[in-house]
Amino acid sequence: MPSGVSAWIDRHRIAAFLAIAYGFTWTIQGILVVTEMEASWTLSILVGFGGFGPPLGAAAVVWASGGDLRAWIGQFFRWRIGAKWWAVALGLPLLILVAGSVLFVLGGGPIDLSALPFPGIYLFVLAWGTIWGGGQEELGWRGFMVPLLQDRHSALVTSLLVGVAWAGWHLPLFLNANTTHGAWSITQQGIWMVTILTGSVLWTWMYNVTGGSVLAVAVFHAGINAMGVYHPADLAALAPGGVPDPWLNLLAEVTGAVPLVATAVLVVLIYGGDRLANRETPGPEVVGLDSD
């Protein structure tokens, strides 16, 4: 890479990261929109491939800025975080699912427990989500953007800034009618915006309390995403005759979001917005970079 380009990237690390992350992902997503590929495993695989924009952007900036690529990618293999935090990363999504399901039932939502997938499928969903269905993003958002922003901002402000960038990065999915995001109503999209900002707080918390384990964040991310697969709502009642029932779908979205938001609020109250952890928060040094 020419020295002039490297110097510019080093001076504008966050901007360069976002440009590459958005550029790669939006190019892939744009192709999928233009070709109008129907919903299928192929579409899911290609959408997942587009999800590698954030780690590619982070890798390029770390390299161009003279950082430590080995230390950066090593965050994804940091598994020694203690049994307590693995229990939280694996168990908290299930508790949030149960709480949301109870609220759904209390709100009058119909359920069909017989239609739930075999529990063993959860392991596949978790593995897929960790490496291809969302978790692959985390070397960029949490493993790079969070530590750089935490050098200048509180963990809570960092989470919200990353959340806005993260939400915008998803925009092409809403323009593709064959993706889950593209089929949502405006109301569902608004609720999703709230949940992604909330999720950004929880993901930063998981990253900080584990001392910078991107692996824990990726697994936690995958677990939260898996909630949609195991929600007990009666899908036939949600869309009788193939036409979505707006009230029941809204009820499912709201009751799913409430426990997530409540968990994030509880985390902020317990740990404080400054660090979202009871330890020093990771900064640029975790990827071998000096402070700006």
Side-chain angles (χ1 to χ4, degrees), residues 20 22 26 45 101 104 123 141 181 190 199 236 251 255 287:
I20 297 170
Y22 272 62
W26 284 21
I45 290 171
S101 300
F104 180 72
L123 296 177
W141 303 124
H181 296 69
L251 179 64
T255 54
V287 294

Side-chain angles (χ1 to χ4, degrees), residues 32-58:
L32 296 180
V33 171
V34 172
T35 58
E36 298 182 342
M37 182 179 293
E38 296 183 358
S40 62
W41 266 107
T42 301
L43 178 64
S44 296
I45 290 171
L46 291 175
V47 168
F49 178 63
F52 284 90
L56 284 175

Side-chain angles (χ1 to χ4, degrees), residues 10-11 33 62 67 83 99 121 151 159 168 247 258 260 271 282 286:
D10 192 29
R11 291 195 305 270
V33 171
V62 171
I121 295 177
D151 190 44
S159 300
W247 158 247
V258 167
L260 196 69
Y271 290 92
V286 302

